[in-house]
Amino acid sequence: MTPSDPLFCFPPSPRISLAVTGQDARFPVRAIYCVGRNYREHAREMGAPTDEAPCFFMKPAHALLADSSRIPYPPFTQDFQHEVELVVALGSGGRRIAPQEAVQAIFGYAIGLDLTRRDLQAQLKKRGQPWELSKSFTGSAACSALVPAGVGRFVDSPRTIRLVVNGTLRQEGRTDEMIWPIATLISELSRYEELAAGDLLFTGTPAGVGPLAAGDRGTAEVVGECHLDFEVVTGPA
Ligand code: MN
């Protein structure tokens, strides 16, 4: 801060953004929305019912590990888990977006990891408490560079998402196995919240979630389209 800068009490945090494949301009991130239990086999492995409406939650923008292949193992967990997910990035927004117009709002997509302190999440759920500290902590959202679709030109064709850790296939799913398809998710979410350019939506994980340990190396991918190579590193105690 300098006395000549009257706008802020101190310099604001840098804008969180994602790289965009094939272009220099970056995607400025606003909010990060996520949906839980969007694949039946995953709901089953969690012992959860298939919900009648999508279960949305959020992560703050600073949860994003942008441009980083290093995932810090967080404190307060003995069961730090991966959830590989297709991420859609919005280039426009609005309220009460009709399902048939929803994909028009998509700027591009990426592969992401919704990282979770599973043991803490179970404790919080049991106590009926908010689960932010298990799901929305700093470093809880890994994401590849965005593949631009061109606003209004996203094609919701079936894609295979996959996660390999230490050479072993951990998760694989097809996006047409989603309980709530992408257009439905955007439309439903926009009934609750006004969506905007810069929003990310983590669209849920297929079965096979499991633990990560410091030293693990892996690759998450939308097969044939984008990938994220990562390493889990010892984080702050
Ligand atoms: Mn998830």
Side-chain angles (χ1 to χ4, degrees), residues 178-197:
M178 289 181 190
I179 297 169
W180 312 100
I182 293 168
T184 308
L185 290 174
I186 293 170
S187 177
E188 278 294 304
L189 184 56
S190 73
R191 297 172 63 206
Y192 294 86
E193 283 277 89
E194 180 168 4
L195 301 178

Side-chain angles (χ1 to χ4, degrees), residues 67-119:
D67 303 324
S68 177
S69 59
R70 292 159 69 84
I71 296 174
Y73 195 103
F76 288 96
T77 184
Q78 305 296 320
D79 191 16
F80 180 47
Q81 291 202 354
H82 55 74
E83 299 186 358
V84 71
E85 311 198 1
L86 180 78
V87 179
V88 299
L90 300 190
S92 65
R95 285 185 192 277
R96 303 190 67 82
I97 301 169
Q100 60 272 24
E101 285 162 14
V103 295
Q104 301 293 311
I106 296 177
F107 171 91
Y109 52 95
I111 193 71
L113 293 171
D114 167 12
L115 298 160
T116 305
R117 288 166 163 141
R118 189 72 70 201
D119 43 0

